Amino acid sequence: MNYKSTFPDVRIFPTPSAVAEAVAEELMEALKSAAAKNRPLHIALSGGSTPKLLFDVLAERTGGDAHIWDFARLYWGDERCVPPDDSDSNYRMTREHLFDQVNIVPENIFRVLGEADPQEEALRYGQVLTEQLPKATNGFPRFDWIFLGMGGDGHTASLFPNTEPVKENKAVCVVAEHPDSGQKRVSLTLPVLNAAVRVTFLVTGASKTEKIDEIFNERDAYQQYPAAMVQPDDGRLEWMLDEAAGAPIGWK
Ligand code: 6PG
């Protein structure tokens, strides 16, 4: 039995654009469904570069719709501890690629205050999530949808392999440190990632192939990779890959 057979929801698309188009379509459906049910859709966004394409497609597809985002409540899976106008800020990237092009009221965007003291912000953001989201059976805030990326080292959010934040199982948010740059981050903890209704990994590009191979074919030390530790207790896990990243899975 390998990882793939445990979590069969793996979809491989020819290009990163095709991944972005497919995910955008499903997200738009979810937004419309939330509006029809008159209930908020709590979404945690990922950072880094991969989501830019998704946000550009969403901006292009929903920019003219005055209300499609009305029931969305947007959060982050992690944020760099930098001001919101810093080139490293996940919030700034999302604002430039999405928020500036669509109609989302500021009250529905729950930014991690990257400019604040990291420990204080990890506490504050954890409290915001506890207040805003329903509670999962594991007692942690339950997102409707969490988008995640995966680093070339197998990290996800800002949970880096073989670091203390990966073990955090009491707090909602934790302060992490990038192993190379030392940059501080505020990250959701694993129990929150595993409390979600739906978790979608967006992973594209040849730089991720090696780790996809290790995880999906259970090679080497795949179990130390935080990306492989995301296994929702009572939720849907899916990997949306392009052919470059997904080659080792041999799926077309
Ligand atoms: C971050 C992300 C991080 C990212 C991966 C992949 O803040 O950097 O949340 O977990 O998803 O590092 O990054 P790329 O999409 O840039 O490859």
Side-chain angles (χ1 to χ4, degrees):
M1 175 101 99
N2 67 19
Y3 182 89
K4 172 165 73 72
S5 55
T6 316
F7 293 99
D9 202 350
V10 180
R11 281 180 278 172
I12 299 178
F13 298 83
T15 61
S17 299
V19 175
E21 289 288 346
V23 175
E25 193 58 42
E26 294 195 21
L27 181 49
M28 288 164 64
E29 285 312 308
L31 291 171
K32 290 171 191 167
S33 168
K37 294 174 192 162
N38 201 27
R39 68 173 293 281
L41 189 71
H42 298 286
I43 305 169
L45 301 172
S46 60
S49 56
T50 302
K52 290 177 183 174
L53 211 43
L54 169 61
F55 297 159
D56 290 343
V57 170
L58 284 167
E60 194 258 323
R61 302 278 300 272
T62 67
D65 187 323
H67 295 292
I68 191 170
W69 290 95
D70 285 358
F71 286 84
R73 305 292 181 269
L74 297 171
Y75 311 77
W76 276 265
D78 68 324
E79 179 58 280
R80 291 81 180 275
C81 294
V82 295
D85 56 356
D86 189 290
S87 59
D88 259 5
S89 165
N90 287 333
Y91 168 79
R92 173 176 160 178
M93 180 273 287
T94 313
R95 182 179 55 71
E96 290 173 343
H97 288 268
L98 182 61
F99 298 157
D100 286 353
Q101 341 281 337
V102 300
N103 183 36
I104 301 178
V105 296
E107 303 80 72
N108 292 343
I109 298 172
F110 298 83
R111 179 173 76 85
V112 179
L113 306 181
E115 67 276 28
D117 170 80
Q119 289 296 350
E120 288 174 12
E121 181 56 14
L123 266 178
R124 184 198 72 86
Y125 203 65
Q127 283 157 0
V128 168
L129 298 182
T130 303
E131 286 156 18
Q132 292 294 326
L133 274 62
K135 193 177 279 191
T137 47
N138 70 357
F140 285 82
R142 181 165 167 83
F143 278 97
D144 294 297
W145 203 343
I146 297 180
F147 287 95
L148 293 172
M150 182 186 71
D153 60 357
H155 82 259
T156 193
S158 281
L159 302 174
F160 295 93
N162 307 310
T163 62
E164 286 308 300
V166 176
K167 300 175 196 164
E168 176 58 53
N169 61 9
K170 298 277 186 301
V172 173
C173 293
V174 68
V175 176
E177 209 168 283
H178 192 286
D180 302 332
S181 65
Q183 184 184 62
K184 291 211 183 307
R185 315 275 192 89
V186 171
S187 178
L188 298 184
T189 56
L190 264 181
V192 178
L193 302 184
N194 284 330
V197 176
R198 182 175 183 180
V199 179
T200 301
F201 276 94
L202 299 180
V203 180
T204 60
S207 67
K208 310 297 170 72
T209 310
E210 181 193 5
K211 283 298 172 285
I212 291 292
D213 181 22
E214 289 183 50
I215 292 172
F216 283 85
N217 296 310
E218 296 188 335
R219 277 197 227 297
D220 307 335
Y222 88 97
Q223 286 165 319
Q224 72 181 317
Y225 303 137
M229 298 175 187
V230 178
Q231 302 183 19
D233 310 320
D234 175 20
R236 173 179 169 188
L237 175 66
E238 56 187 356
W239 290 72
M240 307 283 267
L241 310 172
D242 70 344
E243 286 188 354
I249 299 178
W251 286 21
K252 284 288 174 217

